[in-house]
Amino acid sequence: MGQSSGRRWFLKSVTALGGAASLPAPASAAEPHAQHRARALSQTYMYLTQPEVAFVEATVARLIPADELGPGAKEAGVACFIDRQLVGAWGTMAKMYRQGPWPEGTPQQGYQSPLTPQQVYRVGIGEVNAHCAKQYGSSFSALTAAQQDEVLRGLDGGKIELEGVRSQFFFNMLLANTLEGFFADPIYGGNRDKVGWKLVGFPGVAAVYTAHVDRHGVPYNAVPVSIQDIVDNVARVDEHGHPKHVLLTRKD
Amino acid sequence: MATKLKPVDVAIVGVGLTGTIIAKELAEAGLKVVGLERGHWRDTDPDFAMPYVHDELRYVGRHELMQDLSRETITFRNNAAETALPMRQLGSFRPGEGVGGAAVHWGGLTWRFLPWDFETRSRTLARYGKGQLAEDCTSQDWGVTYDELERHFDRFEYLYGISGKAGNLRGRIVPGGNPFEGPRSREYPNPPLKTSYAGALFKQAAEKMGYRPFPTPTGAVSRAYTNEYGATINACVYCGYCQFFGCEMGAKASPQTAVLPNLMQQKNFELRTHANVTKVDLDAAGKRAIGVTYVDSRGREFEQPADMVLLCSYVLNNVRLMLLSGIGKPYDPAANTGVVGRNYAYQTPSSVTLFFEDRVFNQFMAAGGMGMTIDEFNGDNFDHSGLGFIGGGFLQAATSGSRPIEVRPVPRGTPRWGSEWKRAVATYFNRSFPITIQGACQSYRGNYLDLDPTYRDAYGLPLLRMTFDRRENEHKMSLWLTDKAAQIAKAIGPSKMNVTPRTEKYTIVPYQSTHNTGGAIMGADPATSAVNKYLQSWAVPNVFVVGASAFPQNGGYNPTGTVGALTYWALDAIRSRYLKRPGPLAG
């Protein structure tokens, strides 16, 4: 559920289980530390070049824009997330089958590109920027938002054709990675400050829900907990390691 | 040159759901048993420990617990006119890899197939006549009946501590359970899980419409439970990281929680991980298995002599090993002869998603198999006259764990990205739930498994080739079932619904279910089945092939309960008859 700007949320000093007496550490306690770390990460890229970073940041900002509902994918650090994914096992197809031959196949046969995701980004970004230079006289990241949307729609619908990789294949990969980066645990570099989880009302690392699961229709407005929060002792945990969620109460 | 090892009595290929049970029982019977597993050792602690196991990207997005396709995959095509291409990344189904197999990351739903399912062809012909079956439909009877399997279903359910409510106790219909199930000898070992809000609304609406809803039976265990092997499965805490994950609580029934604590104490059992079996070795006449060949993590090849070989890996690999080893005649779809690879089938899942403006469902509080089901439209529980299809499926309001990378439904017509999408996902992530339908899938002459002529695995061996598409029977069934679900959904009163029957060409891309079946099917006739009713190879009687590879077609349920029953059924025949007098058990 969206936490719209007109309403205010307050920490309620109980745990999600309602029973424990100790007051949990406020979720904001480690924020300066976390923000510092996030900033440091966001400036460090292992695969993408600077022009590629500019492309990815501009793209994810259109796919999930910052708006009245809150930060978007760019603010969530999704470019950093994508860079780390590309340099890791997924981006290099470590667990995927890579032997040829490589006919394109039918849509039902799925991923048949001889390129790894890492290479798909390199080829795709280069060609989309070339298209933008020809069409608009500048690279994608320098276009207006409306022009960027026009290009992204062209890729999404297959109207813009690329040479080295199918445009829809590239676009679908960009979109899937953007959604992953917006909603994955912040340990991967995206979903910074858990903005994706806050947007939809997902609590992240789960608490013991036995006492809540049959409270039908009762909102569960927990401060989301990430793996990092637990490692950093920002979130308190029970004997099995489940966080004790801090619930918010709404005051209209 | 392979190193020849000291002989053992039994070599088990694959240490997952079926392999662990068989290994335990045969080791206990005094046989020297070696379990060969190509993946690595995994256990609740430390592999599934908090907080790291609550990582959706790692376990769902990146398939942490699943098969490494860089070493071996399958190739796929919709029909024989196409060229099959490799499944380069996991999609439609997600086989496991490592000790415990797919039963580590399974969703927990544990069904008994209906008595009708085991006699699909004969009962269809008896009730409707020949015209009800498509001309190319090769669905057939299993050679075993529900009544023969009952006590083995029971034993498996008690081993895995299944949570549920009986609907038919020795022929007496019990309120609150599934009135359509075959008679069971006793109640489930554990009570059902709690009911979610989605489940409660579904139950209310379904009852009003005259249906008899009941809680979905599941291996997410509702209370701490100790089974016959002395293993304790803990109580589920509804954390919602269940299907595709290992359970940090040890509360999901699995080889790790239900069998391995006992098995690993068996002195006659030896587990070898990173042992990738590449073939079953046969004698010169090809009539008897003399052991298996495997490659270890250093690339060394070994021959493990054994008196008996049990293929207990996933459906697809069971079939592939038979083909690579020359056990049984490969199926030829043109001539409709041969048996290995025949009757590959899958599942026909569909769904209705309900969207609300003012109700929250907290679907992230969940368990695998948590749901409320109706079974009115499964198997032959309803009259199919004039419908143009056979089979059916169960319908359930599912609360199996909503996490936003994988599960973030938005009403149809919403753009895939941008501010409008963002608003919709923010509104509906917690204001929606699905009714899912696990539709059956019949078998057809053109749907089969064989060896690919082009693509090879990391050892240079041909990949398995899958040729598959659903037919008109499945599409008609899916439209009909999904409409039934939509009627219930409508009665619940959502503001919007996505009604999604399965009518398109089968695609290997989006996840559907890890419910592949067939290819080494059981039956009464060696001309149309690869294994007899005891899962024993007709061609090489000291090889048994255990798993959903034995299903002649797929029913409208998740397969695991029936796989568990078949495992104990085969074991019973092995222990009580085969070991006393090795040789064909049927014929």
Side-chain angles (χ1 to χ4, degrees):
Chain A
M1 86 170 19
Q3 297 177 13
S4 58
S5 52
R7 288 168 171 161
R8 299 174 67 203
W9 296 78
F10 292 85
L11 277 179
K12 193 180 177 186
S13 60
V14 295
T15 68
L17 287 172
S22 62
L23 188 69
S28 58
E31 290 298 278
H33 178 53
Q35 278 172 15
H36 175 76
R37 179 167 45 218
R39 259 198 309 278
L41 283 173
S42 72
Q43 289 157 4
T44 315
Y45 288 86
M46 292 179 267
Y47 176 73
L48 296 170
T49 64
Q50 281 308 307
E52 287 169 344
V53 170
F55 174 92
V56 171
E57 289 212 316
T59 300
V60 305
R62 298 312 304 153
L63 296 180
I64 308 180
D67 55 19
E68 72 280 5
L69 291 177
K74 182 180 170 187
E75 296 74 26
V78 167
C80 168
F81 168 88
I82 289 176
D83 179 69
R84 288 165 154 217
Q85 288 298 307
L86 292 178
V87 86
W90 179 79
T92 53
M93 290 184 85
K95 276 185 83 173
M96 301 183 211
Y97 186 79
R98 286 204 65 198
Q99 296 180 41
W102 305 85
E104 208 156 73
T106 66
Q108 286 75 19
Q109 291 175 310
Y111 197 126
Q112 293 299 336
S113 170
L115 305 180
T116 62
Q118 202 180 67
Q119 294 163 333
V120 169
Y121 271 77
R122 184 128 299 157
V123 169
I125 293 171
E127 291 194 21
V128 174
N129 271 335
H131 166 86
C132 294
K134 202 171 134 201
Q135 195 76 22
Y136 305 98
S138 62
S139 65
F140 180 84
S141 59
L143 303 183
T144 65
Q147 289 170 326
Q148 288 174 339
D149 284 355
E150 188 174 73
V151 172
L152 293 173
R153 277 194 296 271
L155 296 170
D156 186 2
K159 286 207 180 96
I160 296 173
E161 287 191 22
L162 306 179
E163 179 58 31
V165 60
R166 280 189 303 116
S167 52
Q168 282 168 307
F169 179 73
F170 177 45
F171 179 82
N172 286 336
M173 188 180 282
L174 269 170
L175 180 59
N177 290 158
T178 302
L179 292 163
E180 286 169 352
F182 196 64
F183 290 122
D185 193 282
I187 56 172
Y188 293 98
N191 192 11
R192 191 164 297 161
D193 196 27
K194 296 162 275 188
V195 294
W197 293 348
K198 288 174 183 169
L199 175 76
V200 300
F202 180 65
V205 178
V208 169
Y209 292 136
T210 310
H212 279 271
V213 67
D214 51 2
R215 294 181 68 200
H216 294 165
V218 178
Y220 186 81
N221 299 309
V223 176
V225 172
S226 70
I227 291 170
Q228 194 72 53
D229 291 336
I230 292 176
V231 173
D232 288 347
N233 280 322
V234 175
R236 301 208 177 180
V237 298
D238 67 16
E239 70 276 22
H240 298 295
H242 292 102
K244 297 177 177 182
H245 284 161
V246 175
L247 297 185
L248 300 164
T249 50
R250 196 171 76 187
K251 296 205 174 162
D252 292 306
Chain B
M1 191 62 196
T3 305
K4 202 159 188 171
L5 301 169
K6 225 173 108 190
V8 296
D9 297 317
V10 182
I12 294 179
V13 182
V15 185
L17 182 133
T18 65
T20 47
I21 293 172
I22 288 172
K24 191 267 169 192
E25 293 285 322
L26 295 185
E28 199 177 54
L31 300 177
K32 182 91 192 131
V33 180
V34 165
L36 300 164
E37 167 56 49
R38 65 178 169 189
H40 50 258
W41 172 255
R42 307 181 294 187
D43 208 351
T44 303
D45 181 25
D47 299 282
F48 317 139
M50 290 292 285
Y52 299 101
V53 76
H54 284 196
D55 181 343
E56 186 184 13
L57 183 73
R58 178 177 175 184
Y59 289 95
V60 185
R62 301 295 178 255
H63 310 126
E64 173 78 14
L65 300 174
M66 296 151 196
Q67 188 174 333
D68 179 356
L69 301 187
S70 73
R71 306 185 72 78
E72 184 195 318
T73 184
I74 59 141
T75 67
F76 163 73
R77 57 183 179 175
N78 279 117
N79 57 68
E82 295 178 355
T83 302
L85 297 180
M87 176 174 76
R88 297 188 181 278
Q89 61 182 8
L90 287 173
S92 168
F93 47 88
R94 297 168 173 169
E97 187 169 298
V99 172
V104 169
H105 72 256
W106 72 311
L109 290 86
T110 307
W111 295 98
R112 298 177 172 200
F113 276 20
L114 294 164
W116 179 86
D117 284 310
F118 299 100
E119 297 163 86
T120 296
R121 178 167 284 267
S122 56
R123 291 211 197 183
T124 297
L125 294 178
R127 183 168 178 184
Y128 305 104
K130 225 176 152 189
Q132 195 79 9
L133 287 169
E135 185 269 324
D136 62 339
C137 178
T138 52
S139 292
Q140 60 193 48
D141 294 358
W142 293 46
V144 68
T145 64
Y146 174 84
D147 289 342
E148 288 176 293
L149 290 177
E150 199 285 329
R151 69 189 172 94
H152 306 287
F153 273 116
D154 177 82
R155 191 163 176 209
F156 179 69
E157 288 163 357
Y158 271 72
L159 180 77
Y160 266 38
I162 304 306
S163 307
K165 175 81 193 112
N168 182 341
L169 280 176
R170 294 176 296 276
R172 184 172 56 88
I173 300 303
V174 182
N178 178 7
F180 297 97
E181 68 180 358
R184 56 174 66 239
S185 46
R186 52 179 170 163
E187 183 53 271
Y188 281 96
N190 287 304
L193 293 174
K194 292 185 172 197
T195 304
S196 68
Y197 189 27
L201 291 178
F202 178 87
K203 182 170 190 274
Q204 197 179 27
E207 277 173 350
K208 240 185 214 162
M209 295 169 78
Y211 302 134
R212 284 168 285 178
F214 59 93
T216 308
T218 175
V221 177
S222 57
R223 62 182 178 192
Y225 172 78
T226 302
N227 69 14
E228 63 163 299
Y229 294 168
T232 298
I233 308 170
N234 293 316
C236 174
V237 301
Y238 302 90
C239 80
Y241 289 82
C242 195
Q243 186 177 20
F244 311 129
F245 298 84
C247 178
E248 72 273 13
M249 290 297 293
K252 177 162 67 171
S254 69
Q256 275 72 4
T257 55
V259 182
L260 283 163
N262 182 309
L263 174 60
M264 297 311 287
Q265 300 301 318
Q266 295 287 338
K267 289 195 175 58
N268 284 332
F269 175 69
E270 185 195 342
L271 170 68
R272 288 184 208 146
T273 53
H274 305 116
N276 196 359
V277 174
T278 51
K279 85 175 163 190
V280 179
D281 304 313
L282 304 183
D283 67 5
K287 301 269 191 228
R288 183 179 162 73
I290 54 172
V292 298
T293 296
Y294 69 90
V295 183
D296 80 353
S297 58
R298 291 171 62 182
R300 295 176 298 197
E301 200 174 53
F302 295 94
E303 276 175 34
Q304 176 59 67
D307 289 336
M308 258 180 103
V309 174
L310 286 123
L311 299 183
C312 294
S313 65
Y314 192 63
V315 174
L316 302 172
N317 202 42
N318 277 353
V319 177
R320 180 169 182 253
L321 279 172
M322 292 181 83
L323 292 167
L324 288 175
S325 311
I327 298 172
K329 193 175 164 203
Y331 179 61
D332 174 356
N336 199 26
T337 58
V339 290
V340 183
R342 183 188 152 89
N343 281 30
Y344 170 74
Y346 190 45
Q347 199 98 64
T348 311
S350 62
S351 67
V352 175
T353 305
L354 296 77
F355 298 93
F356 298 81
E357 305 305 313
D358 54 354
R359 301 185 191 187
V360 296
F361 293 94
N362 300 335
Q363 285 274 96
F364 47 82
M365 301 178 183
M370 184 174 177
M372 195 56 72
T373 291
I374 64 162
D375 217 18
E376 267 78 0
F377 306 113
N378 213 334
D380 204 32
N381 296 344
F382 57 102
D383 187 358
H384 289 68
S385 301
L387 294 176
F389 67 86
I390 66 165
F394 74 87
L395 281 53
Q396 73 157 347
T399 303
S400 58
S402 292
R403 301 162 304 266
I405 295 177
E406 192 195 19
V407 185
R408 34 156 220 282
V410 290
R412 192 155 287 145
T414 305
R416 296 166 74 204
W417 48 277
S419 273
E420 202 182 328
W421 168 82
K422 191 179 172 190
R423 179 165 295 284
V425 82
T427 303
Y428 294 115
F429 175 77
N430 201 19
R431 296 190 182 96
S432 58
F433 71 85
I435 298 175
T436 60
I437 297 140
Q438 199 73 273
C441 182
Q442 302 308 317
S443 292
Y444 300 92
R445 200 163 157 170
N447 288 343
Y448 63 100
L449 305 170
D450 65 354
L451 292 175
D452 191 272
T454 306
Y455 294 94
R456 291 176 177 263
D457 72 2
Y459 306 101
L461 301 168
L463 297 182
L464 190 73
R465 176 170 67 178
M466 174 189 293
T467 304
F468 175 75
D469 207 350
R470 300 186 184 94
R471 300 292 197 269
E472 198 187 350
N473 184 86
E474 282 61 53
H475 297 157
K476 279 186 176 169
M477 179 195 73
S478 188
L479 281 165
W480 198 82
L481 290 173
T482 311
D483 181 59
K484 294 291 179 196
Q487 289 171 19
I488 300 172
K490 220 169 158 187
I492 295 170
S495 66
K496 301 180 185 74
M497 299 196 288
N498 288 351
V499 180
T500 316
R502 186 76 59 174
T503 54
E504 76 284 1
K505 219 171 160 183
Y506 171 68
T507 156
I508 205 158
V509 181
Y511 182 73
Q512 288 153 65
S513 78
T514 310
H515 303 166
N516 314 75
T517 61
I521 68 171
M522 61 195 294
D525 180 356
T528 55
S529 56
V531 296
N532 66 25
K533 69 186 283 191
Y534 305 106
L535 307 188
Q536 179 183 37
S537 164
W538 290 107
V540 183
N542 65 334
V543 172
F544 288 74
V545 188
V546 187
S549 50
F551 293 12
Q553 57 276 339
N554 207 359
Y557 296 112
N558 308 57
T560 303
T562 300
V563 169
L566 289 179
T567 304
Y568 274 120
W569 161 255
L571 258 172
D572 189 51
I574 292 168
R575 283 190 72 162
S576 66
R577 293 174 53 205
Y578 181 87
L579 294 180
K580 286 174 191 149
R581 196 158 166 254
L585 293 169

